[in-house]
Structures are given as C-alpha cells and as structure tokens.
Amino acid sequence: MTEGVRSSARLGAARLDPMGALRRSHACGAIGTELIGREVVVAGWVHGRRDHGGLIFVDLRDRDGLVQIVFRPEVAADAHERAGDLRNEFVVLARGVVERRSPETVNPRLPTGEVEVVVHELRLLNTATPPPFAIDEDAGADETVRLRHRLHDLRRPPLQRALRTRHVLYQSARNTLSELGFLEIETPILAKATPEGARDFLVPSRLQPGEFYALPQSPQIMKQLFMVAGFERYFQIARCFRDEDLRADRQLEFTQIDLEMSFVGVEEVLAVLEELVWRAWRDTVGVELPRPFPRLSYEEAMARYGSDKPDVRVLLELVELTGVFRGTSFRAFGAAVEKGGVVKCLPVHDADALTRGEIDRLESFVKKELGAKGLAWVRVTADGSWQSPIAKFLSDAERAAIAERTQARPGSVLFFAADEFAKANAILGRLRTDLGRQLGRVDERAWAPLFVLNFPVFERGDDGKLTFMHMPFVAPVEEDLHLFDSAPERMHGTHYDVVMNGLELGSGSLRNHRSDVQRRIFEILGYSKAEMEERFGFMLNALEAGAPPHGGFAFGLDRMAMLLAGAESLRDVIAFPKTQRGQDLLMGSPSAVEDQQLQDLRLRIAPAPKGGDA
Ligand code: ASP
C-alpha cells in the first residue's frame, strides 16, 4: 500500500463526492486583510506543511497564489489531527476564519502574508504521489526531467504565468482583429503541401491508400483563397507544422496569428500589424509602445546591423568598406571582393576593456560557430598607432579610408569580415550584439519594435539557384517588374517583417493577384509547366477567377508569448512542447503503431538505411 493510500484511509477520503455541500468561496491568492474576521472556504494543493508543537501550518496553493492555513487543536481537534497526515500535493478543501498574523509571523514576500486562515473543517479531496521536484519558481531539475513530468512542471508559477500571458495574448489579438473587421475562419489540418520550403509532415490516407495529406506549414494558400472568395478580412490563430531540425527557438508545431486582407497596399497592412502589436503589449504586460514603429529597409538593416532582424537597442553599428578594397594588394580582403563578396567593419570605440585574450576568444568563437576563416582586427593605441596582425598589409590610403569611415580613435578596436555578403554580415552582426551586451552598449528601452521592409524577392541558394526569400506568392514592387528578365535577384518584394528586440515576430507581404506574375515567379523558381499545374494549379485558377489585390501577415504567437512572458525558450510558453529530438516525453510520442493499423493504411516500415539511426 502506498503512503498516499494509507494516509487517505486515515484522512477519510473514501467518498466519491468529498466536497459534500462545501464550495470554495475565495481563491487562495485573494485572501487579504479586508477579509479578516470572515469565514472563507479555500481549496487547492498542499504546497508545504510545518508542524510547530501544537500548531500545524499548511501553505495551500491554487492558480491564484498561496495562503497559509493553520490547524489549532483547540479550534478543531479532528481537523488538526488529520492535518498531520497531509503531504505535499494532496488536494484539500478547508473552511475557516481569516485572522491577522502576529507581527513576527507576517511574510512580506507573500501577497497574502499578513493573514492566515484558521481551519474549522478540513476535507481531503485527493491524495497525491510525491512530486518529482519542487513546485516552485525554480524546479531545481533539468529540463528533461521537467518535460517528463510536465504535469508537475505546469503547476510551477513560471509556467502558470506564461500560459496566462498566452491566454491574454490570444484574447487581445482576437479582440483587435475582430474590431478591425476581420472574420475568424478555420482551415483544415488535413491539408495539402504548402510552399514554405520546409519538409512536410505527411498523414497517410486509409480511404485513398497510397495517398497522403500534408499538415499545413501555414494556411497561406487557403487564406488567399478566402480573399478570392470575397471574405475581405480573415484571421485565425492557426497551428502550423514544419518537419525541421529543432533549434532553441523552433518547434515542429507552432501557432501563428494569421491574417489576410483585400483591397489594400502595404501601408494598410502595417497599420493593422502595429495596432495588433501595440494592443498585445498593452494588454499582456501593460506597456504602451511608442508609435509609429520605426522602419528600416532590408538593405539598411543589413548594412548597419548585419541582420534583417536587428536588435536596435544595441548601440554598435557596422561600416561598409567594400569599395575601399576594390583592387587592393591585401589578398585576404581583395579575393573576397573579386568574388562578389563584401568587406565590413565593426568599430568598437573606448574598448580598453577588450583584452587581447578576449579578442582571441572572439576569433575562435566566430571560426568555430560561424564558419569564419579568421577575424582580422586593429587596436588603435593611446599614441594613435595601429596594433594589428593586418596593419602591415594595408596601404596608407586604405588606412586613411578605414580611419575616416569608422571614426577610429585611440581606444578603438575594429573588427573586419571579408566574405560573402551573408556570411560577413552573420559574423559581424553576431559580434555586434554579443560585444554590445558584454560592454553595456545598450540603450535602456525595454522594447524596440521595428518594421523591416522591401526584402529582395529572390536569393541564391547554396546550389547557386534562385530561390524565394520568404515564399513564392510575394508580389514584387511595381517599379522592379522590368527586372524579371534581366536581373530577378535585384527585384524587391512587398515583403515586410515585424521585429522586436532582435527577434522576428512575423512576416508578410502583398501577394501576386495577377496569375501572369505568379507564373513568371514559378518559372524563375524552376517549376516546369506540368509541376506548376500539379502543385499550384488550383491556386493559379483561383487567381484567374477574379482575385482582388490582397496581402497579409503571420505572427509567430509562441515567440511573442516567449518575449512577453520573459521566458527563455519557446518550450516554456507551450503547454506540451517537443524536445530537440521531436519527442513528447510525457505522453511518449512519437511511438510505434499496431501492425493492423499499418495494414489498414497499406504501409510497411522499411528497415533502417545503413548508417541511419531510424
Ligand atoms: N504564410 C507566411 C508564413 O507562414 C506568412 C505570410 O506571408 O502571411 O511565413
């Protein structure tokens, strides 16, 4: 017999209806001094128990907080006797009278710390197995243990708060969009592959053996169909599925606040996004963000911050030096420029705190983590001379140009990257934020929202082929349509992002409502006519059935919730998240299925490929 069951017998929890006629009158966290002298009924979980001679104190916890309940033998001998058997996480209901605590027992850290409930009647509602870790701010257990015991983890205050914040965020978004005339419409989960570029999750069809549904990577196509169908303004809190390798800020399934609107240009969409974000921050954390949100073009963001989602609170900025090194005799930089790459610099002024050891550490970090070939640097010493492994290779004119553009002065340290555009920016962009934080070059604003606009339509993939930058339905800007034939990679799209504190909250664009433009984009992406018809035929037909100009956006709701809840991981704002290996450790998914189920689906499991671990 477990301890719980034994205690249960002693505590008298045999009833199936243990509450009887007694009902909770107040939440634990709501018991305050204004209730002194009143009778209350509280219910919740035993958070802790202390026996002090004749008295027994129990911290009782419900979702609103903790309150201390006290058992005194002279008040209720029976309740007091049974309270001795209470264990952590037992579920109880207690009727008692609120009293002021004596001054020496007041707990200023607890909102209910000035009072306690003196118990007259105790009902045990259920026993509990001992919790695997502390149900506290800090569980004191590693994440794997927490995820395996997610039920107990979810009882902890940070997760209770996070899911509450998430709830407020849902309601805020729903209210805002509904007031702005958006209709909430659901789309199917058993869907067809959509073109966000990630791997699909497939669901085998029993009724059409050998055929598969794809779980939606987003409701993109369906929301565009809503516009053609005349709904004009749609939104949905939509679950999306992408079978990707998991990083800290990704999950296999995630939630978007997805929206689409007709008869609009970029400005009208941005106005909706700003309103939604502004109200979300006000409603969840009580912050009124300054508006209008600042705007940066993609080009400016990359040039100044080396990132299309810059944290503009970090005060360091990059400087462009490519022109200075065209035709240089310094091979390390010259070769990068000849290959079409860039030379950029991150100047850090007043950088005496950056020791040589620290610079070496940064170099090995960017080599190991970011694939940099090296990290060239210059320190300007007190007498103005340049201490640097590369200074001797630079001409006087190059030194003068660097000094002028970076405004180098005694105490400055300059870091250089000469590489492909994306890599050079990734290296210096990362150094910028790391060093900026480390050296305290950060402005005090808690929140820095931003629109990034005018992304390119296409980018070159690793294989040198053009691929889409966001997704294939983004409309190019009107002025760049003539570049379709000559230089598609120079075309700008109507694509915009909302960025907050260096995190992308979401993306959107105006869409191609003209089927000829959409077909042209599919051609550039390398789709044959037959593939186009097979994959997107219904979409192209829809564009030809009277598609209004339209555009939209999708916010990553989990990421917003993470920022708003002050959580460090998406897993801390999702009730039942997956691990890095895509597993749910509580319920044990994914898991094998019965042979019969496979037969019904006419599926067979192939042996693991050699060298694979599947
Ligand atoms: N469907 C897009 C995505 O999930 C967002 C959008 O453009 O509306 O990235």
Side-chain angles (χ1 to χ4, degrees), residues 342-369:
V342 297
V343 181
K344 294 187 77 168
C345 177
L346 172 68
V348 187
H349 303 303
D350 308 313
D352 291 333
L354 270 182
T355 60
R356 179 63 200 267
E358 184 57 20
I359 294 177
D360 289 345
R361 195 193 60 77
L362 292 172
E363 174 159 16
S364 53
F365 169 78
V366 295
K367 277 163 115 174
K368 215 166 110 211
E369 301 293 327

Side-chain angles (χ1 to χ4, degrees), residues 125-143:
L125 307 184
N126 217 337
T127 58
T129 48
F133 44 72
I135 309 297
D136 267 323
E137 282 297 323
D138 183 1
D142 78 36
E143 200 189 11

Side-chain angles (χ1 to χ4, degrees), residues 388-427:
S388 159
I390 64 161
K392 57 179 175 291
F393 304 114
L394 303 175
S395 70
D396 287 349
E398 285 164 355
R399 287 176 63 138
I402 296 172
E404 195 221 299
R405 292 198 192 186
T406 62
Q407 306 195 338
R409 54 178 194 249
S412 302
V413 174
L414 316 177
F415 294 99
F416 300 86
D419 216 314
E420 291 159 12
F421 177 82
K423 202 176 216 182
N425 282 311
I427 294 165

Side-chain angles (χ1 to χ4, degrees), residues 196 217-220 223 240 242 256 258-260 470-471 507-509 511 552-554:
E196 277 76 12
Q217 291 188 28
S218 83
Q220 183 62 37
K223 69 176 170 173
C240 306
R242 299 182 194 179
Q256 289 186 338
D258 191 43
L259 61 98
E260 196 73 10
H470 174 44
M471 50 106 192
S507 292
S509 72
R511 325 295 186 186
F553 196 83

Side-chain angles (χ1 to χ4, degrees), residues 492-506:
H492 289 92
T494 49
H495 169 185
Y496 32 78
D497 277 2
V498 176
V499 174
M500 180 78 82
N501 296 1
L503 279 186
E504 178 194 311
L505 294 189

Side-chain angles (χ1 to χ4, degrees), residues 188-459:
I189 295 295
L190 293 177
K192 193 175 159 80
T194 52
E196 277 76 12
R199 192 176 281 139
D200 287 316
F201 276 101
L202 298 177
V203 181
S205 161
R206 182 181 58 82
L207 297 174
Q208 310 292 333
E211 298 190 350
F212 294 81
Y213 303 96
L215 303 184
Q217 291 188 28
S218 83
Q220 183 62 37
I221 292 186
M222 295 174 274
K223 69 176 170 173
Q224 289 193 240
L225 296 181
F226 287 150
M227 296 304 102
V228 186
F231 288 101
E232 299 194 17
R233 289 183 172 213
Y234 138 94
F235 86 97
Q236 181 181 193
I237 299 194
R239 197 63 71 80
C240 306
F241 305 85
R242 299 182 194 179
D243 190 2
E244 296 180 298
D245 294 328
L246 295 184
R247 298 198 309 258
D249 61 348
R250 287 269 167 95
Q251 280 280 309
L252 297 176
E253 56 182 299
F254 58 95
T255 307
Q256 289 186 338
I257 305 170
D258 191 43
L259 61 98
E260 196 73 10
M261 43 201 305
S262 293
F263 306 115
V264 291
V266 170
E267 287 305 325
E268 291 89 334
V269 186
L270 297 188
V272 168
L273 305 181
E274 188 170 292
E275 182 67 15
L276 189 147
V277 172
W278 191 88
R279 284 180 49 170
W281 256 251
R282 184 199 60 187
D283 295 348
T284 53
V285 289
V287 168
E288 302 205 345
L289 297 170
R291 54 201 306 193
F293 295 172
R295 297 173 180 208
L296 275 179
S297 71
Y298 169 80
E299 257 124 45
E300 194 183 351
M302 293 307 286
R304 291 172 56 191
Y305 305 106
S307 166
D308 59 6
K309 35 181 174 295
D311 188 345
V312 292
R313 297 169 309 163
V314 174
L315 297 170
L316 306 178
E317 289 197 16
L318 311 189
V319 174
E320 172 62 57
L321 295 175
T322 311
V324 175
F325 290 98
R326 229 174 271 293
T328 178
S329 54
F330 179 33
R331 286 315 298 154
F333 286 9
V337 179
E338 274 159 36
K339 279 195 240 145
V342 297
V343 181
K344 294 187 77 168
C345 177
L346 172 68
V348 187
H349 303 303
D350 308 313
D352 291 333
L354 270 182
T355 60
R356 179 63 200 267
E358 184 57 20
I359 294 177
D360 289 345
R361 195 193 60 77
L362 292 172
E363 174 159 16
S364 53
F365 169 78
V366 295
K367 277 163 115 174
K368 215 166 110 211
E369 301 293 327
L370 306 174
K373 293 193 263 300
L375 183 64
W377 56 271
V378 165
R379 181 195 293 282
V380 186
T381 59
D383 64 5
S385 62
W386 283 23
Q387 193 189 75
S388 159
I390 64 161
K392 57 179 175 291
F393 304 114
L394 303 175
S395 70
D396 287 349
E398 285 164 355
R399 287 176 63 138
I402 296 172
E404 195 221 299
R405 292 198 192 186
T406 62
Q407 306 195 338
R409 54 178 194 249
S412 302
V413 174
L414 316 177
F415 294 99
F416 300 86
D419 216 314
E420 291 159 12
F421 177 82
K423 202 176 216 182
N425 282 311
I427 294 165
L428 291 188
R430 176 65 187 268
L431 277 189
R432 172 186 168 268
T433 48
D434 285 6
L435 275 178
R437 291 204 184 104
Q438 188 182 323
L439 299 173
R441 309 287 168 85
V442 181
D443 81 17
E444 294 301 317
R445 265 180 309 160
W447 302 109
L450 189 72
F451 287 120
V452 180
L453 303 159
N454 282 90
F455 285 74
V457 181
F458 302 105
E459 62 182 344

